[in-house]
Amino acid sequence: MRYSWSWSELTDDVQAEGPTIAEKDALLKRENGVSEQSPMRLRMEKFIKEHQKQIVAALEEVDGQKFKIDTWQRPEGGGGITCVIQDGNVFEKGGVNTSVVYGKLPRAAIQKMRANHKALDPDVDSLEFFAAGLSMVLHPSNPMAPTVHLNYRYFETADDKGNTNAWWFGGGCDLTPCYLFDEDAIHFHKTIKAACDKHDPGYYPRFKKWCDQYFNNTHRGETRGVGGIFFDDLDETEKDQEQLFAFAQDCLSAFLPSYIPIINRRKNMPFTEQEKIWQQIRRGRYVEFNLVHDRGTSFGLNTPGSRVESILMSLPLTARWQYMHFPEKGTREERLLEVLKKPKEWV
Amino acid sequence: MRYSWSWSELTDDVQAEGPTIAEKDALLKRENGVSEQSPMRLRMEKFIKEHQKQIVAALEEVDGQKFKIDTWQRPEGGGGITCVIQDGNVFEKGGVNTSVVYGKLPRAAIQKMRANHKALDPDVDSLEFFAAGLSMVLHPSNPMAPTVHLNYRYFETADDKGNTNAWWFGGGCDLTPCYLFDEDAIHFHKTIKAACDKHDPGYYPRFKKWCDQYFNNTHRGETRGVGGIFFDDLDETEKDQEQLFAFAQDCLSAFLPSYIPIINRRKNMPFTEQEKIWQQIRRGRYVEFNLVHDRGTSFGLNTPGSRVESILMSLPLTARWQYMHFPEKGTREERLLEVLKKPKEWV
């Protein structure tokens, strides 16, 4: 399912005959807790929730201000934890969210997914599914400090006996500076590449390219930022489940070391009013990507009943559109555009 | 063609055998000027250009600052005049644009248009077309002063002998306040209704409803503003060409009397910092509509080679997205949302 973050779009009227996977999982957790023997669903949920806490704690240390925590439950099973910072000392706006969803996939959605997952049974009217993910966007106030986006997710469907039918991992992480410091882009990519290389030497080049292709404001001929990695639909045709879970874990664990040194270097740098305006114009481009091109966002917004505030949490606090604004030759602003028009290899 | 403003998307490689309609029109204008006997294409072009001048002059008087004028030519014939004001005394950002385009419609576009225009020949690979329109968006700085949008356009296709094949008018005008003054909405709607009523008592109710339906942030369950009118595809099945041209003229002529009294009443009203923030949040909703739902914008942005700066001129200079911002009970901000959730009859 090539959408970056919109479980909310999926139908939630679960009317299974036997116990649903949500009910089974609740029972399993109560009786045995979560261990390496538990189903991947419970292990992924545990893993993202632990990391959400770690990440929020580390970001609070960077900012000096606390995140506000909203939790929400879904009557069908699952729910979410939304951690938000707004008007912080370092972060103008940021969110670190986990979400766990049990629901039912309608036939049309199954048909679409079969393009990438042949294990899905084409002959059923609906399938139970499970989705768990951590998603994050941070927009710092200082124009020298880059915006960062991250999302790692696990998806699973079950047959009518509650057995796993298809499953896959997706996700990625990418950096969007307004002022480009090569050392930041290099550090970010190197850290991610190291996490990828532990699992497969082909992963970083393949997922780096995918990232540049996906996060692309095609109407401007510019990538959104300096990239990172992006992947989706990684299932048993790629590697076995344990190996892919280990890969997703290493990617997510690489986030703090990839970003914290950068934000700490940039968060208190001096800047001019003109540089702040340039940041606001770049934020406008971020909005353009998310509202025009991001498949998850537009799909979510066009689906009745979705949680709009969670979907649009990715937007910056403030943005700007200035008619015919083109940076002058030889400026740092122009250099950024050159790199966005022709993505670089950073490692 | 149900797109509000994006001629630029249409293919421009005209390779006709005989003289194109662009060439014919250029000759006609040189030899005879433009009179009531001229083709509708030339009359519409003359009309919108005259009104653009009038409107810009009236807005410059309101603002005290001059518009910047860009003109651009299309090698295939036609071109545009873009009049922009940015960081004015009254208008934070605004544009009043005319555009005249001669081009060629590909087969796929013809097929789509046939849904509303049976006169289009389904058996040709391409058709010459002509499009002329005036489009305008004004975003005032003062949060008490409403944003206004207007667009009136004429579209025509020609067979391979250069004779008119199908034609239609489209357009509308709508008001988007951040703080609702009932008297403004009533005045705006009354003025537009009077222009409509001169032509058909059914027009105002029909086009008012169409406007509320079109300018709708469905993902928020809110209309973009307090509406006005919107119509499209008005052709010979509606009324004859002269009558519809007279209607479009009266609608466009109603703009200054509908908006100038409002902007003059509101442009210097006192406001608080909190009210400015609410305006910025409402501007965010304007961006959401234009980037997520407006068919013309998204079609234009997804079409290679379109003039992005003209398409996105409709966006405000600045906007804001604040997580979970809901106005308190009994406030003016809450009253606005109530009206947007349930459009009112103003006349």
Side-chain angles (χ1 to χ4, degrees):
Chain A
M1 243 213 12
R2 296 171 188 257
Y3 297 114
S4 67
W5 192 245
S6 50
W7 313 126
S8 45
E9 80 241 10
L10 298 157
T11 179
D12 27 57
D13 69 305
V14 177
Q15 296 166 324
E17 294 75 31
T20 63
I21 47 175
E23 288 160 351
K24 285 190 193 175
D25 283 356
L27 186 70
L28 273 173
K29 260 196 279 190
R30 251 198 327 270
E31 291 187 343
N32 310 317
V34 180
S35 73
E36 284 186 14
Q37 278 67 53
S38 302
M40 185 54 72
R41 298 184 297 276
L42 298 182
R43 293 167 70 194
M44 184 69 177
E45 177 180 355
K46 182 167 182 257
F47 172 69
I48 59 175
K49 285 184 177 169
E50 282 170 2
H51 264 67
Q52 181 180 33
K53 276 188 197 158
Q54 271 182 35
I55 290 171
V56 167
L59 295 174
E60 285 177 343
E61 210 182 300
V62 167
D63 193 275
Q65 192 175 299
K66 294 280 176 195
F67 279 66
K68 183 179 167 297
I69 302 174
D70 279 348
T71 62
W72 44 279
Q73 295 290 320
R74 286 168 56 94
E76 314 78 20
I81 305 171
T82 300
C83 303
V84 180
I85 191 166
Q86 211 161 253
D87 284 318
N89 300 307
V90 172
F91 299 109
E92 194 172 88
K93 189 172 166 193
V96 184
N97 306 331
T98 53
S99 146
V100 174
V101 173
Y102 293 87
K104 216 160 185 174
L105 282 179
R107 196 181 169 92
I110 300 168
Q111 298 297 337
K112 274 192 201 163
M113 287 180 182
R114 283 206 79 235
N116 296 302
H117 304 283
K118 298 302 174 203
L120 288 172
D121 186 344
D123 295 327
V124 290
D125 276 336
S126 68
L127 274 178
E128 269 191 274
F129 77 92
F130 167 89
L134 186 153
S135 95
M136 167 166 62
V137 179
L138 302 171
H139 294 290
S141 307
N142 193 307
M144 303 300 151
T147 287
V148 71
H149 161 251
L150 171 151
N151 169 248
Y152 290 105
R153 55 192 180 269
Y154 172 72
F155 199 93
E156 196 181 296
T157 61
D159 63 20
D160 55 4
K161 287 174 199 68
N163 298 316
T164 302
N165 179 292
W167 57 267
W168 60 93
F169 289 91
C173 185
D174 63 286
L175 197 71
T176 305
C178 303
Y179 285 93
L180 178 56
F181 295 86
D182 285 24
E183 58 176 319
D184 293 354
I186 292 167
H187 169 78
F188 186 78
H189 276 268
K190 257 192 185 158
T191 312
I192 293 174
K193 181 175 183 295
C196 290
D197 285 353
K198 274 176 67 180
H199 298 271
D200 191 318
Y203 277 178
Y204 173 77
R206 192 172 136 206
F207 301 151
K208 191 265 185 201
K209 197 173 161 195
W210 198 344
C211 186
D212 289 335
Q213 282 166 346
Y214 183 81
F215 293 102
N216 197 323
N217 261 331
T218 47
H219 63 285
R220 300 272 188 188
E222 295 171 1
T223 55
R224 185 171 75 175
V226 296
I229 55 167
F230 180 82
F231 58 86
D232 206 352
D233 299 310
L234 298 193
D235 60 14
E236 71 285 348
T237 63
E238 180 72 43
K239 281 205 163 65
D240 74 31
Q241 202 180 45
E242 282 304 323
Q243 286 174 308
L244 289 173
F245 183 44
F247 172 57
Q249 285 176 297
D250 280 335
C251 284
L252 184 48
S253 302
F255 169 69
L256 289 175
S258 75
Y259 187 66
I260 297 293
I262 297 174
I263 188 69
N264 280 333
R265 274 204 290 269
R266 306 301 163 209
K267 67 181 184 182
N268 294 320
M269 281 184 77
F271 60 87
T272 67
E273 207 179 310
Q274 279 310 306
E275 288 165 339
K276 187 70 189 172
I277 288 177
W278 173 247
Q279 177 203 48
Q280 292 297 298
I281 292 171
R282 297 311 307 167
R283 292 272 162 86
R285 301 291 200 271
Y286 207 89
V287 172
E288 287 176 27
F289 177 81
N290 287 22
L291 295 186
V292 177
H293 298 291
D294 188 55
R295 288 177 287 238
T297 304
S298 62
F299 193 79
L301 293 184
N302 284 305
T303 302
S306 55
R307 193 174 191 260
V308 174
E309 288 296 320
S310 292
I311 297 170
L312 295 185
M313 226 206 46
S314 63
L315 300 183
L317 191 60
T318 55
R320 184 178 179 93
W321 283 271
Q322 207 165 311
Y323 179 67
M324 296 293 259
H325 183 282
F326 300 110
E328 285 171 38
K329 286 249 174 251
T331 58
R332 293 186 66 190
E333 290 82 0
E334 196 211 17
R335 164 118 204 285
L336 175 73
L337 290 189
E338 272 170 27
V339 170
L340 301 184
K341 280 176 202 303
K342 210 182 154 195
K344 272 185 74 158
E345 295 304 322
W346 295 102
V347 189
Chain B
M1 239 205 23
R2 299 172 185 256
Y3 297 116
S4 67
W5 192 244
S6 48
W7 314 125
S8 45
E9 79 241 10
L10 298 157
T11 178
D12 28 56
D13 68 304
V14 177
Q15 295 167 325
E17 296 74 31
T20 62
I21 47 174
E23 287 159 352
K24 286 189 193 176
D25 283 355
L27 187 68
L28 273 174
K29 260 196 281 190
R30 253 198 325 271
E31 293 186 343
N32 309 316
V34 179
S35 72
E36 285 185 15
Q37 279 67 52
S38 302
M40 185 55 73
R41 298 184 298 277
L42 298 182
R43 293 168 69 193
M44 184 69 177
E45 176 179 355
K46 182 167 180 258
F47 171 70
I48 58 175
K49 284 184 178 168
E50 283 169 3
H51 264 68
Q52 181 181 33
K53 276 188 196 158
Q54 272 182 33
I55 289 171
V56 166
L59 295 174
E60 285 178 342
E61 210 182 299
V62 167
D63 192 277
Q65 191 175 300
K66 294 279 176 196
F67 279 65
K68 185 178 167 296
I69 301 174
D70 278 349
T71 62
W72 44 278
Q73 296 288 321
R74 286 167 55 94
E76 315 77 20
I81 305 172
T82 300
C83 303
V84 180
I85 190 166
Q86 211 160 252
D87 284 318
N89 300 307
V90 172
F91 298 109
E92 194 171 90
K93 188 172 166 193
V96 185
N97 306 332
T98 54
S99 146
V100 174
V101 172
Y102 293 88
K104 217 162 184 174
L105 282 179
R107 196 183 170 90
I110 300 168
Q111 298 297 337
K112 272 192 204 166
M113 287 180 183
R114 283 206 80 235
N116 296 303
H117 305 284
K118 298 301 173 203
L120 288 171
D121 185 345
D123 294 327
V124 291
D125 276 338
S126 67
L127 273 179
E128 270 191 273
F129 78 91
F130 166 89
L134 186 154
S135 95
M136 166 167 62
V137 179
L138 302 170
H139 293 291
S141 307
N142 192 307
M144 302 300 150
T147 287
V148 71
H149 161 252
L150 171 151
N151 169 247
Y152 290 105
R153 55 193 182 270
Y154 172 72
F155 199 92
E156 196 181 296
T157 62
D159 64 21
D160 55 6
K161 288 174 197 69
N163 299 315
T164 303
N165 179 292
W167 58 266
W168 61 92
F169 289 90
C173 185
D174 63 285
L175 197 71
T176 305
C178 303
Y179 285 92
L180 177 56
F181 295 86
D182 284 25
E183 58 175 319
D184 293 355
I186 292 167
H187 169 78
F188 186 78
H189 276 267
K190 258 192 184 160
T191 312
I192 293 174
K193 181 175 183 294
C196 290
D197 285 352
K198 276 176 68 180
H199 298 271
D200 192 317
Y203 277 178
Y204 173 76
R206 192 172 136 205
F207 301 152
K208 191 265 183 200
K209 198 174 161 192
W210 199 343
C211 185
D212 288 334
Q213 281 166 347
Y214 184 81
F215 294 103
N216 197 325
N217 261 329
T218 47
H219 63 285
R220 300 272 189 189
E222 295 170 3
T223 55
R224 185 172 75 175
V226 296
I229 55 166
F230 180 82
F231 57 86
D232 206 352
D233 299 310
L234 297 194
D235 61 14
E236 72 284 349
T237 62
E238 180 73 40
K239 283 205 164 63
D240 75 31
Q241 203 182 42
E242 282 305 322
Q243 287 175 308
L244 289 172
F245 183 43
F247 172 57
Q249 284 176 298
D250 280 335
C251 284
L252 183 48
S253 302
F255 170 69
L256 289 174
S258 75
Y259 187 66
I260 298 293
I262 297 174
I263 187 71
N264 281 332
R265 273 203 292 268
R266 306 300 163 210
K267 67 181 185 182
N268 294 319
M269 282 185 76
F271 60 87
T272 66
E273 208 180 309
Q274 279 312 306
E275 288 165 339
K276 186 72 189 170
I277 288 178
W278 173 246
Q279 178 203 49
Q280 292 297 296
I281 292 171
R282 297 311 306 168
R283 292 272 162 85
R285 300 292 199 273
Y286 207 89
V287 172
E288 287 175 27
F289 177 81
N290 288 21
L291 295 185
V292 177
H293 298 291
D294 188 56
R295 288 177 286 238
T297 304
S298 63
F299 192 79
L301 294 183
N302 285 304
T303 302
S306 56
R307 192 171 192 263
V308 174
E309 287 297 321
S310 292
I311 297 170
L312 296 186
M313 226 207 44
S314 64
L315 300 183
L317 191 62
T318 54
R320 183 178 180 93
W321 283 269
Q322 208 164 312
Y323 178 68
M324 296 293 260
H325 182 284
F326 300 110
E328 285 172 38
K329 287 251 175 245
T331 59
R332 293 186 66 189
E333 290 81 1
E334 195 212 18
R335 165 118 203 284
L336 175 73
L337 291 189
E338 271 169 29
V339 171
L340 301 182
K341 280 176 203 300
K342 209 182 155 196
K344 271 184 75 157
E345 294 305 321
W346 294 103
V347 189

